[in-house]
Amino acid sequence: MGVASGLRRHIEPCPLFFDRADGAYFFDADGHRLLDYTLGWGPLILGNNHPAINAAIERQLTRGYAYGAQHWGEIELAERMVRVLPGVERVVFSNTGTEAVQVALRLARAYTQRTKIIKFEGHYHGWLNNVLVSYRLKPGDPCGPLPACGGQPPSEFAETLVLPWNDLPAVDETFRQFPGQIAAVLTEPILANGGSCLPDDGYLRGLVETCRTHGAVSIFDEVITGFRIALGGAREFFGVGPDLSVYGKALAAGFTLSAVGGKAALFEVLQDGRTIHAGTYNGNPISLAAARATIDALAAPGVFDELEAHGSAVRAALEAEASRRGVPLLTTGCGSVFSAHFGLLRAPRNYRETLRADMQRYGRFRLAMLRRGVHLLPDGRWYVGAAHGEAELAAVRAAIGPALAEVAA
Ligand SMILES: Cc1ncc(COP(=O)(O)O)c(C=O)c1O
């Protein structure tokens, strides 16, 4: 099949092979230089070949690849995370977002001694059976835990309840239906995997408060939003503090690292041995060196303002050029991660509302952009990073108009 992740399998015209990458550019095996707005599906917040990250890794390379034991690098990263993530008092490290989501659920279940979890339609929390449900739906599908692929035994998602997003009464009602049984509510704070829908005003705060009222743990899956929409992720951006947050992707800017952070009380179940979190590569010193350099680079003044400005300028160009050609197109999300939707007349509030978008036209647009040297994800999502500067903005603007003209008919 030739792809390392099933989600890369059906990419048109064919899954591209890359030879190398530098800054905001990927170079494919045929020698094309592509301006990249995929950022490797999100992690490359600083682009490729970043001098500070390279230097940090080179330093670590001579000091050891893996210890399988505690080291200063863990403490130095944990201290940085606690400093920049509002309300985060403790952190533990894992490797992928998929794993760290499971760590958060394990902590929540051990802490509450309950088993059920709530997740929402269209939200992606990794590829394991208990959360890979109701991820990609068809319009008539019922609301309930539907497996996303073969090989998912129903027993493995029997404790997962699925609800529509941005609907607080549905959450409250479910807590009343299953009193004392729900351990956690798991949500992406911006529905980046399902059309970059934004939470309604007060929704995230309401979710956290509803969890508190019913003795459950609130978990923000910040694998995309963390270290991207603000240095403090959704906690800072929305001013809301859940019990736990899950980090990955941009945390180590392209190196394999994930983490769970949150209230100290939740981590006591690990400290006193009520539960276990394990992994040969947990706290890998190379990835941790990359993460420390990433946070230091992201903490420089103005970084997030520039990300926001660049993304807003690209969104404005997309909407203006589309409107000039009579093509219905709108964008949702924020500057550093947003989605473009053909055919929608108002911003979708949840995953079901994104299903009305014309993805075939988006597919044609994506290919038209690729022919003009701009590399985009197939699902309408755009990632903006610090390597996107003025030259890249000019290049992407120059491609957008003609690409839209091609798909206007
Ligand atoms: C919100 C969210 N959670 C979890 C994951 C899983 O992370 P990983 O692919 O590192 O396992 C992803 C991956 O795209 C994600 O977007």
Side-chain angles (χ1 to χ4, degrees), residues 98-130:
T98 297
E99 270 179 89
V101 165
Q102 298 300 320
V103 175
L105 294 176
R106 171 79 61 85
L107 295 183
R109 283 171 160 158
Y111 180 80
T112 59
Q113 307 216 341
R114 301 173 178 180
T115 54
K116 293 196 186 304
I117 59 167
I118 293 178
K119 80 157 296 252
F120 300 96
E121 289 183 335
H123 291 230
Y124 182 69
H125 304 291
W127 61 275
L128 297 187
N129 290 334
N130 59 349

Side-chain angles (χ1 to χ4, degrees), residues 7 41 95-101 123-127 135 187-190 192-193 221-225 246 248-249 256-258 381 383:
L7 300 184
W41 296 78
N95 301 288
T96 64
T98 297
E99 270 179 89
V101 165
H123 291 230
Y124 182 69
H125 304 291
W127 61 275
Y135 163 54
T187 186
E188 290 186 56
I190 290 178
N193 282 293
D221 180 346
E222 294 227 43
V223 168
I224 289 180
T225 52
V246 180
K249 296 203 194 247
T256 307
L257 181 66
S258 60
R381 210 177 343 161
Y383 281 111

Side-chain angles (χ1 to χ4, degrees), residues 45-128:
I45 188 89
L46 297 171
N48 284 285
N49 204 13
H50 189 276
I53 294 187
N54 288 4
I57 285 172
E58 277 165 25
R59 248 191 330 272
Q60 182 58 44
L61 279 175
T62 59
R63 302 176 63 87
Y65 304 155
Y67 303 132
Q70 295 52 250
H71 57 100
W72 289 115
E74 292 177 315
I75 295 170
E76 288 167 5
L77 178 57
E79 283 176 351
R80 279 172 175 77
M81 291 179 71
V82 165
R83 193 164 63 237
V84 303
L85 300 170
V88 167
E89 298 164 343
R90 295 273 190 283
V91 295
V92 292
F93 300 118
S94 275
N95 301 288
T96 64
T98 297
E99 270 179 89
V101 165
Q102 298 300 320
V103 175
L105 294 176
R106 171 79 61 85
L107 295 183
R109 283 171 160 158
Y111 180 80
T112 59
Q113 307 216 341
R114 301 173 178 180
T115 54
K116 293 196 186 304
I117 59 167
I118 293 178
K119 80 157 296 252
F120 300 96
E121 289 183 335
H123 291 230
Y124 182 69
H125 304 291
W127 61 275
L128 297 187

